[in-house]
Amino acid sequence: MVLKVFFPSCCSSADSGILIGRWISEQNSAVILAVVHFPFIPVQVKQYLGEVQRVTKVTVSVLGSWSNSKQEKEESLSEFLEDLGTIFCHEPWIQISKEGDSKFWSCSILQKHSKNPQEEEIILVYYDQRKVMLSHLHPPLDTAGQRAEDASKLSAIFDTVARSQVLFMTDRYDEGPIKLTHWQSDGVEASIIVELLKQASVPACMLLTFLLSVVSGICRSRVLKFWPLSFLWSKLSTCEQLGHRLQHLQVISSNKKAQNQSQLMRKANIFVSLLIDVALGILLMSWLYRKNRIGHLADTLIPVADHVAEELQDLLQWLMGAPAGLKMNRALDQVLGRFFLYHIHLWISYIHLLSPFIEMILWYVGLSACLGLTVALCILSDIIALLTFHIYCFYVYGARLYCLKIYGLSSLWRLFRGKKWNVLRQRVDSCSYDLDQLFIGTLLFTILLFLLPTTALYYLVFTLLRLLVVIVQGLIHLLVDLIDSLPLYSLILRLCRSYRLAAGVKFRVLEQQDGKPLRLLMQINPLSYGGVVQTYRLPTYSCYPRDSWASLCKKLFLGELIYPWKHKGDKQN
């Protein structure tokens, strides 16, 4: 059999002593965690390992001995190291010795209590203890077959080192009876800034939690459940985004500790996303309030709205004539054209009525950018929806007329074939009609059929205008979803410290010689950028339904409405 010994590279120059770590019998592997130097008292070592095992829940024991022959050249030392196997009683007992300046190490296995000892091939694997402890091994996306089995074996190695963090809190400068060598032997890593931030974050989180509880109580109050406020809250994308950010703040300020690495990364991603969102919003706000840009924007808004209204009037005048040489029903064409022209006239009057207050409204709307760039973009989307409300009304009128005629023609077509729609059983059944019913049905079918091209043309034109507005709003919300869902902290971590996001490992052969153990170097393969986004992508509420092209074409053909906002049932968790 093959015995694998995972040896930390930071202990290669350690003084002679004993090896402590975890024995994984299922894999026939030994994970070395630290070296205990001479002199020591075996009873104190056992008590120390018992405390570590109680805290970390990892079976830590003495696995063997380590001899650095460059420092110790006495023959009695090797005999003493062999005798330690009878004191600590671990089977098998691993003996590793470094032979001076040689690149090759000797490694042997002692099995004193075994009746039939077998010679095992030994593979010595070096690993970076710091990177392994700080990294998080992600399972492969394809978890079937041999790859899943290999991932489970590697996760046992990573989990052993990560859970033994308490063991690494003791360095060589401690005055205790046990001297250890591990990745923090030269001094425990610490940062005064990080410690101060930890202490300051406790009252800040308590204050933020109290404020969020007050805001959540106001949002859940019965006042917002009445018709006008509940309608606005469900339809305006700004309210949806504020509710989404409120949930993010509740996750960040929660006193509950993260149970695993995934929850910790999710909190970090949300925090960085909020931080960058607010920073971009403040930059936008500073740009808007500099050089009176809001006044210039307000002065430009009214002429643009007038220009759009004039273009719509010209379009309606073109439809009321002979558009593209088509022969329309003149009476219906004139009625529909004058009806829409009157709505445009009302809209122009409404815009000019609000013109004295537009600059003040934009000034207060600009202050909302301090809540984040996403909130400002959602407000921009709602402003576009309000400024193009007349186009939405035209689209609804045209779609209702077109839908009425389509369903009327389909019903009358079933009448010609002696069929009818059974409402109770939701199916088409046979039916016998008398002569009067067939005569009236023929007249209505003829009228609807000849009026259909005029209605279809108006419906087509206003649907194209409506789709143009929806596309603009969709692009804005795509940008909002990108800021909300992109795991920025994970991407920065992948760029700066790629070993923190491990997708697997690779082994590089260092030295190989007959009679000596095979020496390998374990290196961490980082997770790809696409894997980082797929693993840590944050959920969004997505203001637009994700319909397929076939479903969208079916809705357009049947005259069903394309809503600019998402229904509550479509909200993603």
Side-chain angles (χ1 to χ4, degrees), residues 420-434:
K420 73 170 184 178
W421 176 254
N422 192 331
V423 181
L424 296 178
R425 298 188 177 183
Q426 295 293 311
R427 68 180 185 184
V428 178
D429 294 335
S430 300
C431 182
S432 58
Y433 298 97
D434 55 19

Side-chain angles (χ1 to χ4, degrees), residues 212 215 219 233 236-252 266 269-270 273-274 277 371 374-375 378 477 480-486 537-543 566 571-573:
L212 290 176
V215 175
C219 294
W233 186 266
L236 293 179
S237 57
T238 305
C239 298
E240 291 280 352
Q241 179 63 21
L242 289 176
H244 190 64
R245 284 307 189 192
L246 182 62
Q247 294 177 0
H248 283 175
L249 289 174
Q250 289 175 347
V251 171
I252 294 175
R266 181 173 181 267
N269 285 321
I270 291 175
S273 176
L274 277 171
D277 186 21
L371 299 176
T374 55
V375 176
C378 288
H477 283 282
V480 172
D481 288 349
L482 181 64
I483 299 175
D484 282 342
S485 63
L486 198 62
R537 184 178 182 272
L538 298 174
T540 58
Y541 66 90
S542 184
C543 285
K566 172 189 61 61
K571 186 172 183 178
Q572 298 178 354
N573 296 321

Side-chain angles (χ1 to χ4, degrees), residues 37-76:
H37 307 302
F38 299 117
F40 59 82
I41 301 176
V43 176
Q44 293 178 344
V45 174
K46 291 182 179 180
Q47 291 177 353
Y48 177 72
L49 295 181
E51 294 177 359
V52 172
Q53 183 174 349
R54 178 179 56 84
V55 176
T56 62
K57 308 299 181 182
V58 178
T59 307
V60 181
S61 59
V62 179
L63 301 180
S65 61
W66 159 256
S67 174
N68 193 341
S69 59
K70 183 178 180 181
Q71 300 176 0
E72 303 289 345
K73 298 183 179 180
E74 299 181 1
E75 295 181 358
S76 59

Side-chain angles (χ1 to χ4, degrees), residues 301-313 348 351-352:
L301 193 59
I302 299 300
V304 170
D306 290 338
H307 179 70
V308 172
E310 290 176 0
E311 292 294 334
L312 285 175
Q313 287 178 343
I348 294 175
I351 291 295
H352 285 280

Side-chain angles (χ1 to χ4, degrees), residues 16-18 36-42 45 62 64-67 72 74-88 93-95 110 112:
S16 300
I18 55 176
V36 180
H37 307 302
F38 299 117
F40 59 82
I41 301 176
V45 174
V62 179
S65 61
W66 159 256
S67 174
E72 303 289 345
E74 299 181 1
E75 295 181 358
S76 59
L77 178 62
S78 59
E79 298 178 358
F80 174 70
L81 294 176
E82 292 181 4
D83 294 337
L84 287 176
T86 60
I87 299 176
F88 293 101
W93 182 259
I94 303 172
Q95 287 184 331
L110 296 180
K112 295 183 178 181

Side-chain angles (χ1 to χ4, degrees), residues 222-239:
R222 294 184 179 181
V223 178
L224 296 179
K225 295 182 180 180
F226 291 110
W227 174 75
L229 296 178
S230 62
F231 179 80
L232 291 176
W233 186 266
S234 62
K235 297 302 181 183
L236 293 179
S237 57
T238 305
C239 298

